[in-house]
Coordinates of all heavy atoms in Angstrom, one line a residue:
D445 N -24.2 21.2 7.4 CA -25.2 20.3 8.1 C -24.7 19.6 9.3 O -25.5 18.9 9.9 CB -25.8 19.3 7.1 CG -26.5 20.0 5.9 OD1 -27.0 21.1 6.1 OD2 -26.5 19.4 4.8
Y446 N -23.4 19.7 9.5 CA -22.8 18.8 10.5 C -23.4 19.0 11.9 O -23.7 18.0 12.6 CB -21.3 19.1 10.6 CG -20.6 18.2 11.7 CD1 -20.3 16.9 11.4 CD2 -20.3 18.7 12.9 CE1 -19.7 16.1 12.3 CE2 -19.7 17.9 13.9 CZ -19.4 16.6 13.6 OH -18.8 15.8 14.5
G447 N -23.7 20.3 12.3 CA -24.3 20.5 13.6 C -25.6 19.8 13.9 O -25.9 19.5 15.0
T448 N -26.4 19.6 12.8 CA -27.7 19.0 13.0 C -27.8 17.6 12.6 O -28.8 17.0 12.7 CB -28.7 19.9 12.2 OG1 -28.4 19.9 10.8 CG2 -28.8 21.3 12.8
T449 N -26.7 17.0 12.1 CA -26.7 15.6 11.6 C -26.4 14.7 12.8 O -25.5 14.9 13.6 CB -25.6 15.4 10.6 OG1 -25.9 16.3 9.4 CG2 -25.6 14.0 10.1
P450 N -27.2 13.6 13.0 CA -27.0 12.6 14.0 C -25.6 12.1 13.9 O -25.1 11.7 12.8 CB -28.1 11.6 13.8 CG -29.2 12.3 13.1 CD -28.5 13.3 12.2
K451 N -24.9 12.0 15.0 CA -23.5 11.5 15.0 C -23.4 10.0 15.2 O -22.9 9.5 16.2 CB -22.7 12.3 16.1 CG -22.8 13.8 16.1 CD -22.5 14.4 14.8 CE -22.5 15.9 14.9 NZ -23.8 16.5 15.1
N452 N -23.8 9.3 14.1 CA -23.8 7.8 14.2 C -22.7 7.3 13.4 O -22.8 6.7 12.3 CB -25.2 7.3 13.6 CG -26.3 7.7 14.5 OD1 -26.2 7.8 15.7 ND2 -27.5 8.0 13.9
F453 N -21.5 7.6 13.9 CA -20.3 7.1 13.2 C -19.2 6.7 14.3 O -19.4 7.1 15.5 CB -19.7 8.1 12.3 CG -19.6 9.5 12.8 CD1 -18.5 9.9 13.6 CD2 -20.5 10.5 12.5 CE1 -18.4 11.1 14.2 CE2 -20.4 11.8 13.0 CZ -19.3 12.1 13.9
D454 N -18.2 6.1 13.9 CA -17.2 5.6 14.8 C -15.9 6.4 14.8 O -15.1 6.4 15.8 CB -16.8 4.1 14.5 CG -18.0 3.2 14.5 OD1 -18.8 3.2 15.4 OD2 -18.3 2.6 13.4
M455 N -15.6 7.1 13.7 CA -14.4 7.9 13.6 C -14.8 9.1 12.8 O -15.7 9.1 11.9 CB -13.3 7.2 12.9 CG -12.7 6.0 13.6 SD -11.5 5.1 12.6 CE -10.2 6.3 12.4
L456 N -14.1 10.3 13.1 CA -14.4 11.5 12.4 C -13.1 12.1 11.9 O -12.1 12.2 12.7 CB -15.0 12.5 13.4 CG -15.2 14.0 12.8 CD1 -16.2 13.9 11.6 CD2 -15.7 14.9 13.9
Y457 N -13.0 12.4 10.7 CA -11.9 13.1 10.1 C -12.1 14.6 10.1 O -13.2 15.1 9.6 CB -11.6 12.7 8.7 CG -10.5 13.4 7.9 CD1 -9.2 13.2 8.2 CD2 -10.9 14.4 6.9 CE1 -8.2 13.9 7.5 CE2 -9.9 15.1 6.2 CZ -8.6 14.8 6.5 OH -7.6 15.5 5.9
A458 N -11.2 15.4 10.8 CA -11.5 16.8 10.9 C -10.2 17.5 11.1 O -9.1 16.9 11.0 CB -12.4 17.1 12.2
G459 N -10.2 18.8 11.2 CA -9.0 19.7 11.3 C -9.1 20.5 12.6 O -10.1 20.5 13.3
G460 N -8.0 21.2 12.8 CA -7.9 22.1 14.0 C -6.7 22.9 14.0 O -5.9 22.8 13.0
N461 N -6.5 23.7 15.0 CA -5.3 24.6 15.1 C -4.4 24.1 16.1 O -4.7 23.9 17.3 CB -5.8 26.0 15.4 CG -4.7 27.0 15.3 OD1 -3.6 26.7 15.2 ND2 -5.1 28.3 15.4
A462 N -3.1 23.8 15.7 CA -2.1 23.3 16.6 C -1.2 24.4 17.0 O 0.0 24.2 17.3 CB -1.3 22.2 15.9
A463 N -1.6 25.7 16.9 CA -0.8 26.8 17.2 C -0.5 27.0 18.7 O -0.7 26.1 19.5 CB -1.4 28.1 16.6
A464 N -0.2 28.2 19.1 CA 0.4 28.4 20.4 C -0.4 27.9 21.6 O 0.2 27.5 22.6 CB 0.7 29.9 20.6
D465 N -1.7 27.9 21.5 CA -2.4 27.4 22.7 C -2.9 26.0 22.5 O -3.7 25.5 23.3 CB -3.7 28.3 23.0 CG -4.6 28.5 21.8 OD1 -4.2 28.0 20.7 OD2 -5.7 29.0 21.9
Y466 N -2.4 25.3 21.5 CA -2.6 23.8 21.3 C -4.0 23.4 21.5 O -4.4 22.7 22.3 CB -1.7 23.1 22.3 CG -0.3 23.5 22.4 CD1 0.2 24.2 23.5 CD2 0.5 23.3 21.3 CE1 1.5 24.7 23.4 CE2 1.8 23.8 21.3 CZ 2.3 24.4 22.3 OH 3.6 24.9 22.3
Q467 N -4.9 24.0 20.6 CA -6.3 23.9 20.8 C -6.8 22.5 20.7 O -7.8 22.2 21.3 CB -7.0 24.8 19.7 CG -6.8 26.3 19.9 CD -7.5 27.0 18.8 OE1 -8.4 26.6 18.1 NE2 -7.1 28.3 18.7
G468 N -6.1 21.6 20.0 CA -6.6 20.2 19.9 C -6.6 19.5 21.3 O -7.4 18.6 21.5
I469 N -5.8 20.0 22.2 CA -5.7 19.4 23.5 C -7.0 19.5 24.3 O -7.4 18.7 25.1 CB -4.6 19.9 24.3 CG1 -3.3 19.5 23.6 CG2 -4.6 19.5 25.7 CD1 -2.0 20.1 24.2
Q470 N -7.8 20.5 24.0 CA -9.0 20.8 24.8 C -10.0 19.6 24.7 O -10.7 19.4 25.7 CB -9.8 22.0 24.2 CG -10.3 21.9 22.8 CD -11.0 23.1 22.3 OE1 -11.9 23.6 22.9 NE2 -10.5 23.7 21.2
Y471 N -9.9 18.8 23.7 CA -10.9 17.7 23.6 C -10.5 16.5 24.4 O -11.2 15.5 24.6 CB -11.0 17.2 22.1 CG -11.5 18.3 21.2 CD1 -10.7 19.0 20.4 CD2 -12.9 18.7 21.3 CE1 -11.2 20.0 19.6 CE2 -13.3 19.7 20.5 CZ -12.5 20.4 19.6 OH -13.0 21.4 18.8

Side-chain angles (χ1 to χ4, degrees):
D445 297 334
Y446 181 79
T448 57
T449 300
K451 309 304 187 294
N452 295 322
F453 49 80
D454 306 304
M455 293 173 65
L456 174 67
Y457 173 74
N461 189 349
D465 56 350
Y466 312 111
Q467 292 179 17
I469 290 171
Q470 65 181 301
Y471 298 106

